[in-house]
Amino acid sequence: MPAVTLIGLTESQAADPMVVGTKFARLASIHSHTEIPPAWCIGSHSFVQALGTDRLARLTAIMHDLTVTLGCDLAALPTQLQAALAGLSLPADVLQGLAALVADENFAVRSSTEGEDGHQHSYAGLYESYLRRRGLAEVADAVVACWRSYYSPRAVLARLRAGDVNAAPRMGVIVQHMVDADLAGVAFTRDSQVWVSATIGTGEQLVDGSTDAATLVIRSGEAPPPYDRVAQAATGLKSCTPFGAHTTGQASRAADDIDLEWAWTRAHGLRILQVRPVTAALPGSSSPQPHLASAPLYTSGGLPENVRLGACADLYGEMTAKRSALFALATEHGFTVSDGLIITLNGAGLADHALPRSWDRWLGQQPHLGQEVVIDAGARIRQNIARKTDIESLLGNALNLAGDPYALHTVLIRRFVRGCAGALTQQRTDGRILLQQCPEGLVALNRGLAVPTEHLLPEPSHSEHWQAQPPIGPWGRQTLQRMA
């Protein structure tokens, strides 16, 4: 089937979320059941065309490196992605299609990806939307900005955490007539009730959480206009929207509760802007309040209630099983060691510096972390080395904290000792100690970035053999004997 440049709501391709993304596919599925502002979608094939072979190859290499290194060099990721997307612009056929469409009125330009607002991952606030774009230049710039947001560090890392390592774009971009609403808001169904929140104007402040709104709980459609119309639309769409087919590949799940965005004008009545399944019960839970709590990583007898294992459950189990006893042994023998931390937080907790237990104050109470730390944020984002002052920005990108500020995340943070060389030791069956060392340091040794030299050390109890032991690298005889 030939690709259509601008896909309308009635086109056959509008039903395919791999082409138009989930948002537009849902709009297409409900357009015959409710009033939707006129909308078109620039399909993912146009995005692939705009990227071209070379850009896509560079992005594939970046995703491959992130996957095989478990995302261990996030500091370099923004620069790598920016370089890969340099010069991205709209293909001529897309510009021509938009020129014929865009008149002297306002448009909303929204990202629509294949995995968005699903039952497994909501990807809330991850991709960009732009309102009140007027004229070809503004609309075209907004489309390119939406495309770029697909490869923003936070978006790439969110997909990586979800196990999606495919670098090819699965994003459509919706271009829709802007509704200059008198009232707008959101509504969601809950069993036999409809909760409707509304604010004066177009409602973007309500959606992003920057303003309060009036909320009504409606039963049996009994509400003043236009809220009765909103409740009727929500109830009707709940019974007809096949979310399962668009998000999970499973059978239709028409009974699922739904969440919709709406706008109302005196002149034209109610319009539905978006519809999606209610995702509040997704794994990874959220907190309606700022959250920041921590516990020792190796010495804790049990985690407090406000610290959760989350995506770090397996990693926490591995680390504590392997290292807690060794941590105690090293402390007993007088070695300088620093305990790590397991932290549960959300974006609101990290950003609210006015809290009594703010991030700034909390960080000041962790001198044992030193100036550099190692950060683990789950099985697919591991061993990131960062300055302690850069933790906040790194976590913001890695966990999409600004886009979804109330979702809870768990991270492990440990002190990083850079040192001037690195060594690994292992006792052999004959009692001697095998030493692997390299001047590039322990990180290079652990990650396979350097080839170590190997040496055999005497048994610790054979003092006569130790008298003749020469230095190895920066380590003298006494240090080597203590290692043994």
Side-chain angles (χ1 to χ4, degrees):
M1 180 186 299
V4 179
T5 301
L6 293 179
I7 302 167
L9 290 167
T10 60
E11 301 280 351
S12 59
Q13 292 180 348
D16 187 351
M18 292 292 290
V19 176
V20 298
T22 305
K23 284 182 185 176
F24 194 78
R26 290 194 182 120
L27 288 178
S29 74
I30 67 172
H31 82 277
S32 61
H33 301 278
T34 191
E35 291 294 331
I36 297 172
W40 298 263
C41 186
I42 300 168
S44 59
H45 49 268
S46 295
F47 193 176
V48 173
Q49 179 188 355
L51 286 174
T53 304
D54 290 344
R55 284 195 192 90
L56 191 53
R58 290 197 292 272
L59 292 165
T60 300
I62 291 170
M63 183 58 76
H64 173 76
D65 288 346
L66 281 174
T67 305
V68 299
T69 63
L70 300 177
C72 70
D73 189 15
L74 299 189
L77 184 60
T79 302
Q80 293 172 341
L81 292 170
Q82 185 177 8
L85 295 174
L88 182 65
S89 60
L90 292 185
D93 60 337
V94 176
L95 271 175
Q96 184 177 359
L98 286 175
L101 170 67
V102 176
D104 189 22
E105 58 183 291
N106 289 325
F107 283 81
V109 181
R110 294 188 175 94
S111 304
S112 175
T113 66
E114 180 261 336
E116 217 168 347
D117 294 333
H119 291 285
Q120 299 301 317
H121 307 284
S122 72
Y123 294 143
L126 203 61
Y127 306 106
E128 296 297 344
S129 294
Y130 299 91
L131 304 180
R132 299 185 184 85
R133 302 291 142 160
R134 182 181 291 266
L136 178 60
E138 287 191 5
V139 172
D141 287 346
V143 172
V144 173
C146 287
W147 280 348
R148 286 182 174 276
S149 74
Y150 190 80
Y151 294 108
S152 67
R154 64 180 188 172
V156 169
L157 293 171
R159 295 195 297 274
L160 180 66
R161 294 200 313 274
D164 180 359
V165 298
N166 186 351
R170 284 97 67 206
M171 172 188 275
V173 178
I174 302 170
V175 179
Q176 186 172 36
H177 282 233
M178 184 77 197
V179 178
D180 288 321
D182 297 304
L183 287 173
V186 296
F188 63 91
T189 63
R190 177 180 291 175
D191 300 325
S192 59
Q193 302 172 348
V194 180
W195 294 55
V196 180
S197 296
T199 187
I200 295 173
T202 53
E204 56 264 35
Q205 291 85 10
L206 175 61
V207 173
D208 66 22
S210 61
T211 189
D212 293 326
T215 299
L216 292 82
V217 181
I218 302 172
R219 300 173 182 85
S220 305
E222 296 177 359
Y227 307 113
D228 56 342
R229 291 286 311 282
V230 176
Q232 291 167 14
T235 302
L237 292 176
K238 176 182 175 179
S239 66
C240 75
T241 307
F243 284 145
H246 284 316
T247 59
T248 65
Q250 301 171 355
S252 173
R253 300 172 60 168
D256 284 351
D257 283 318
I258 65 166
D259 173 356
L260 57 84
E261 293 180 22
W262 58 272
W264 178 84
T265 66
R266 292 181 178 88
H268 302 291
L270 182 67
R271 296 291 184 270
I272 303 301
L273 308 178
Q274 288 190 53
V275 61
R276 52 187 170 258
V278 172
T279 57
L282 284 173
S285 68
S286 63
S287 168
Q289 303 297 328
H291 191 101
L292 175 62
S294 65
L297 183 57
Y298 302 130
T299 60
S300 175
L303 296 180
E305 186 177 347
N306 56 1
V307 175
R308 307 178 184 184
L309 293 177
C312 290
D314 291 342
L315 190 56
Y316 175 81
E318 293 171 10
M319 283 191 176
T320 53
K322 181 170 70 172
R323 298 180 181 176
S324 290
L326 295 176
F327 183 94
L329 183 66
T331 303
E332 178 185 344
H333 286 270
F335 284 90
T336 301
V337 290
S338 296
D339 200 348
L341 292 166
I342 176 170
I343 305 170
T344 300
L345 56 84
N346 59 17
L350 195 68
D352 194 340
H353 295 271
L355 284 175
R357 189 168 170 75
S358 70
W359 175 258
D360 294 333
R361 293 187 180 93
W362 178 87
L363 205 58
Q365 296 168 2
Q366 317 297 328
H368 62 282
L369 288 180
Q371 296 304 308
E372 289 186 295
V373 296
V374 182
I375 301 175
D376 298 292
R380 293 185 176 91
I381 297 180
R382 295 281 312 276
Q383 297 185 346
N384 273 273
I385 299 168
R387 293 187 61 80
K388 191 163 68 172
T389 53
D390 295 334
I391 297 175
E392 186 173 353
S393 60
L394 187 146
L395 292 180
N397 269 336
L399 303 175
N400 186 33
L401 296 182
D404 197 0
Y406 294 102
L408 290 174
H409 302 274
T410 299
V411 295
L412 310 181
I413 296 183
R414 298 164 284 149
R415 181 173 185 166
F416 176 63
V417 180
R418 187 168 292 277
C420 60
L424 300 174
T425 56
Q426 180 182 4
Q427 188 171 32
R428 301 199 328 170
T429 55
D430 62 4
R432 291 189 293 175
I433 307 298
L434 176 65
L435 170 73
Q436 294 179 308
Q437 73 89 32
C438 68
E440 292 86 354
L442 198 59
V443 171
L445 191 57
N446 279 331
R447 294 179 180 171
L449 303 177
V451 179
T453 59
E454 294 189 349
H455 310 268
L456 282 177
L457 303 178
E459 291 186 57
S461 59
H462 291 182
S463 57
E464 68 278 9
H465 294 163
W466 279 100
Q467 297 301 320
Q469 175 64 45
I472 297 176
W475 297 293
R477 176 176 57 80
Q478 288 185 335
T479 303
L480 291 170
Q481 191 169 8
R482 197 167 184 223
M483 287 184 187

